[in-house]
Amino acid sequence: SKRWEKANARRNRIHHRVANLRQDALHKLTTAVAAGYGTVVVEDLNVAGMLRNRRLARRVADAGFGEIRRQLGYKTRQRHATRLIVADRWYPSSKTCSGCGAVKAKLPLHLRTYQCGACGLVCDRDTNAARNLAALAALAAGAVTGTGVAGDRDTTRTVVSKPRGADRKT
C-alpha cells in the first residue's frame, strides 16, 4: 500500500510537470505570434468533430487548438493590439485554389497535395490554405482602420464569414 502511494505520487508529479510544460509552451507560442505579427488569421475549426475521429483525437487534444485560439484572442486585443481575423468554420481555405480561386466540391483529408483542375496549380494542401487565409486577411484589411502593424492601437477584431452558406450541414 505504501509502495503504491509512492508510485502514484511520482506519477502525479510527472503528469503535473508535463501539463505545466505544455501550458508554458502554449503561452510562449501565442505571445510570440501576437507580438511578432500585425495580423493573425485563425480558422474556427470543429474541434469536437475532430476529437470524434479516432485517428486524430489524441493529436488534436494534445495540440490544444481551443486554448491557442483563446490566448490569441486576449493577447492580440490587450497586450499588442494586433488584429485577429477569425475565418468562419465553413470557409473553404484548403478547397479553394490560391491561384485562380476555383473551389473543389470535395477534398478528402488523406490528399495532402492540392491539384487545381482549372489552372493546373500543384502545391501542398497546407500551403494552399495558408495563401487563401492570407488573401482573406488582405480582403478584410480594407474594412479595418489602422496600419495592421503590431502596436497600432487603431485596429479591431474582424470575423469574416463564408460568402455563401450552401455547403453548410444542418
Side-chain angles (χ1 to χ4, degrees):
S1 178
K2 197 67 162 171
R3 199 178 279 176
W4 179 84
E5 287 177 7
K6 279 173 53 175
N8 195 25
R10 195 159 89 209
R11 181 183 52 97
N12 288 341
R13 275 195 301 273
I14 291 171
H15 281 295
H16 186 70
R17 183 173 188 277
V18 168
N20 286 342
L21 286 172
R22 284 183 180 172
Q23 185 178 15
D24 181 55
L26 287 179
H27 273 290
K28 286 179 180 177
L29 170 74
T30 54
T31 301
V33 168
Y37 298 98
T39 302
V40 179
V41 182
V42 294
E43 286 184 291
D44 182 21
L45 299 173
N46 183 12
V47 178
M50 286 194 274
L51 288 175
R52 280 189 226 115
N53 183 344
R54 59 189 166 93
R55 292 191 180 113
L56 294 176
R58 181 176 292 161
R59 289 173 182 86
V60 169
D62 285 347
F65 291 142
E67 183 65 15
I68 290 172
R69 165 121 183 256
R70 185 190 71 80
Q71 287 183 16
L72 279 175
Y74 78 81
K75 287 181 183 183
T76 55
R77 204 171 37 248
Q78 295 172 355
R79 292 186 182 175
H80 306 289
T82 304
R83 247 186 333 152
L84 177 67
I85 298 174
V86 180
D88 187 36
R89 178 176 294 189
W90 307 106
Y91 181 73
S93 62
S94 58
K95 293 196 285 186
T96 304
C97 178
S98 58
C100 67
V103 180
K104 285 190 172 190
K106 291 192 175 193
L107 185 64
L109 192 58
H110 72 275
L111 295 177
R112 301 310 304 162
T113 304
Y114 181 83
Q115 297 176 347
C116 181
C119 69
L121 175 76
V122 177
C123 65
D124 183 55
R125 178 189 180 125
D126 297 329
T127 304
N128 184 50
R131 288 177 185 163
N132 287 327
L133 292 173
L136 180 71
L139 182 74
V144 178
T145 60
T147 61
V149 177
D152 186 3
R153 298 286 175 194
D154 205 17
T155 58
T156 58
R157 181 175 185 264
T158 307
V159 177
V160 179
S161 64
K162 185 176 174 182
R164 40 170 263 246
D167 296 331
R168 290 187 183 194
K169 292 183 179 177
T170 54

